[in-house]
Amino acid sequence: MASLLHPFTNLTRLRQNGPTVIARGSGVFVYGADGKDYLEAMGGLWCTALGWGEEELVEAAAQQMRKLSFQHIFGGKSHEPAIELAEALKELAPFPVGKVFFANSGSEANDSQIKFMWYAANARGHTARKKIIARDRAYHGVTLASASLTGLGAFHKSFDLPFDFAVRAECPHYYRGARDGESQEAYCARLAADLETTIQKEGPDTIAAMFAEAVMGAGGAIVPPRGYFEAISKVLARYEIPLVDDEVICGFGRTGNWFGCETFNFQPDSMSIAKALSSAYLPISAVMLSPELTEIIEEEATRIGGLWHAFTYSAHPVAAAVALKTIEIYRRRDIVGHVRKVAPAFQARLTALAGHPLVGEANGVGLIGGIELVADKKSRRNFEAAKGVAAACARYCESEGVIVRALQDDRIAFCPPLVISEAEVGELFDRFERALARTLDWVKAEGLLAS
Ligand SMILES: Cc1ncc(COP(=O)(O)O)c(C=O)c1O
């Protein structure tokens, strides 16, 4: 603790209480250095889809390390795991893909996307197309460019961000954003009209792309209303603005289909994937580009003498071999089918939480969900942020042996490994409900609840 800079952490509390040191994992559980078990209801950071201790992935990594521990793909070099993985991803993709570019994290994938969108626009002679639309509460990463698209103030403060290419659109959160009596359909139509107004105000010829997550993760595990993506896609198509689908969380079965865009019925021009791509056994991410984007990028690279963008570890052979094995396991064990089988039990326990005095909203899809803790259910009034009610709940959760994630506006996210069984779903929510009861006692004792 004296040497390690802990990110995304309340440092005052860390100094007082020290860290929770996790020593090992097995299935959907991780174990503290003291042996305490925690049901990992966040799959780490929305990523450990196959759970901990998956021997086949360990073996795939070891074999590849022995055979070829490193090979870059610069200057015409290549290797089998990278080629095979690109082919496997093209085959899986729910939209036509020309080529696949590899990076090492979601942030790097999204930074690469931003550069590719500018590159393609420049190649087409659309040199004024520099702005990128992203939504309030979006999370696209923390590197300079991706953090600029992230729509959460905490990631900008004191970092001199966002850069001014980022243009904001509304977050599609029906619970918070809908007007009294407004139907989901009318709400979606209004957001689409607002997007169009923004595009016209900024100037359609100045916009290079729009980024969106199917379900917003770190912004609050917010599920968009049905019809939202259909409505905004029409607007984007009208102005020939490419849609970059950030599937870093939603990809590989999370929402009950291989990709979130299938669940929410939209067709992207480009897609970012990471996390479950290797079940987080090794860092790897990818950008999947439409054939049109691929063609224009390759033409430009040919014209100017090369595509001068990549990372040393782009398509690292060990990470690529692990990702290939991960995809093979997803197929062989029908992980998407498993998600569909356990999701009803998960969603039933999640949405039942809406009956609790602290829970304003409980919503989810597949094996992802979010709840919002409120001071007054009737008026939907939030607690004062400084009280840290969701953070307190997350600490009670830890004490009850379940790991969740506290997010902005007292939202709490659930995103367990996809391999979770129905019995483990029951255990997850039993533990969570005990923690929620303790949170309620604490909130009452502090006098924070509306009377
Ligand atoms: C939707 C989304 N995009 C991008 C990222 C950034 O990924 P990384 O932390 O690997 O840079 C995340 C991380 O949680 C994410 O949820």
Side-chain angles (χ1 to χ4, degrees):
M1 205 177 76
S3 317
L4 181 58
L5 186 57
H6 281 87
F8 288 63
T9 298
N10 178 329
L11 294 178
T12 312
R13 194 172 285 279
L14 180 72
R15 269 182 220 113
Q16 283 163 1
N17 303 337
T20 306
V21 178
I22 303 295
R24 66 186 183 88
S26 173
V28 300
F29 288 91
V30 293
Y31 299 85
D34 58 359
K36 181 176 165 67
D37 65 89
Y38 300 90
L39 199 159
E40 235 297 6
M42 277 304 293
L45 286 173
W46 331 77
C47 53
T48 307
L50 291 172
W52 280 261
E54 179 49 69
E55 278 302 324
E56 288 194 61
L57 297 181
V58 177
E59 195 44 44
Q63 269 183 25
Q64 184 58 43
M65 269 195 199
R66 285 190 199 101
K67 190 172 168 193
L68 181 69
S69 56
F70 180 71
Q71 177 55 56
H72 63 79
I73 57 166
F74 289 23
K77 300 278 190 309
S78 203
H79 57 77
E80 260 178 34
I83 295 167
E84 278 180 34
L85 182 59
E87 277 168 9
L89 289 171
K90 258 183 84 160
E91 204 181 296
L92 266 187
F95 71 112
V97 169
K99 288 194 177 175
V100 182
F101 172 84
F102 289 107
N104 307 287
S105 68
S107 301
E108 281 183 6
N110 285 334
D111 260 41
S112 302
Q113 293 272 19
I114 295 166
K115 289 178 76 177
F116 288 147
M117 293 301 141
W118 287 341
Y119 200 84
N122 288 334
R124 291 183 170 121
H126 300 158
T127 51
R129 285 195 184 250
K130 296 288 178 266
K131 295 176 192 166
I132 306 224
I133 303 172
R135 297 160 316 158
D136 283 327
R137 302 184 78 125
Y139 188 84
H140 296 299
V142 294
T143 44
L144 289 170
S146 69
S148 296
L149 297 187
T150 289
L152 297 160
F155 296 93
H156 300 151
K157 214 169 172 184
S158 301
F159 284 120
D160 291 354
L161 290 173
F163 289 158
D164 62 8
F165 69 80
V167 172
R168 292 278 154 232
E170 248 171 276
C171 162
H173 190 192
Y174 184 71
Y175 172 74
R176 282 275 159 222
R179 294 176 180 150
D180 279 349
E182 191 173 34
S183 68
Q184 292 207 2
E185 203 184 359
Y187 175 63
C188 294
R190 178 160 63 82
L191 292 198
D194 288 351
L195 175 65
E196 183 149 21
T197 306
T198 301
I199 292 169
Q200 283 170 348
K201 194 178 109 237
E202 297 290 337
D205 297 342
T206 68
I207 297 171
M210 175 165 177
F211 275 55
E213 305 151 79
V215 176
M216 301 175 93
I222 294 168
V223 181
R226 297 287 162 165
Y228 166 76
F229 275 104
E230 289 92 325
I232 65 158
S233 294
K234 275 190 204 141
V235 174
L236 296 176
R238 208 170 295 144
Y239 296 96
E240 294 180 5
I241 296 172
L243 176 56
V244 178
D245 178 14
D246 183 344
E247 295 262 358
V248 166
I249 287 178
C250 294
F252 303 98
R254 177 59 58 191
T255 64
N257 288 294
W258 275 97
F259 295 95
C261 64
E262 296 168 286
T263 303
F264 291 94
N265 196 26
F266 65 99
Q267 170 124 351
D269 297 282
S270 183
M271 185 185 275
S272 295
I273 49 176
K275 297 190 189 266
L277 168 57
S278 63
S279 190
Y281 275 63
L282 281 174
I284 183 166
S285 65
V287 167
M288 298 202 276
L289 296 159
S290 69
E292 296 74 28
L293 281 166
T294 305
E295 194 182 334
I296 192 91
I297 287 168
E298 288 200 327
E299 265 175 35
E300 183 70 356
T302 308
R303 192 180 69 79
I304 65 177
L307 178 63
W308 302 109
H309 174 75
F311 308 95
T312 298
Y313 299 133
S314 282
H316 191 290
V318 183
V322 168
L324 264 173
K325 181 55 77 177
T326 303
I327 292 171
E328 193 222 301
I329 294 174
Y330 289 153
R331 285 191 198 273
R332 179 167 21 101
R333 298 191 200 156
D334 186 18
I335 293 296
V336 175
H338 175 76
V339 171
R340 289 184 184 168
K341 215 163 87 227
V342 292
F346 176 86
Q347 293 298 332
R349 288 294 297 265
L350 177 81
T351 50
L353 293 171
H356 189 277
L358 281 181
V359 178
E361 188 200 19
N363 198 5
V365 60
L367 283 178
I368 186 168
I371 64 169
E372 186 159 328
L373 305 182
V374 290
D376 185 348
K377 285 179 74 142
K378 218 160 147 218
S379 68
R380 305 180 177 193
R381 179 167 61 80
N382 280 117
F383 291 103
E384 253 178 75
K387 301 292 180 195
V389 174
C393 180
R395 286 195 297 279
Y396 286 123
C397 283
E398 217 172 285
S399 144
E400 292 294 336
V402 58
I403 294 178
V404 298
R405 200 157 166 73
L407 301 167
Q408 185 179 298
D409 295 339
D410 289 318
R411 291 189 67 84
I412 291 181
F414 303 86
C415 190
L418 301 181
V419 292
I420 194 166
S421 69
E422 207 164 311
E424 288 163 340
V425 165
E427 186 62 31
L428 186 169
F429 284 103
D430 289 350
R431 291 182 186 200
F432 181 74
E433 282 173 9
R434 289 199 289 275
L436 197 57
R438 288 172 66 185
T439 312
L440 180 60
D441 290 345
W442 172 75
V443 161
K444 279 184 181 159
E446 296 284 312
L448 302 178
L449 206 58
S451 45

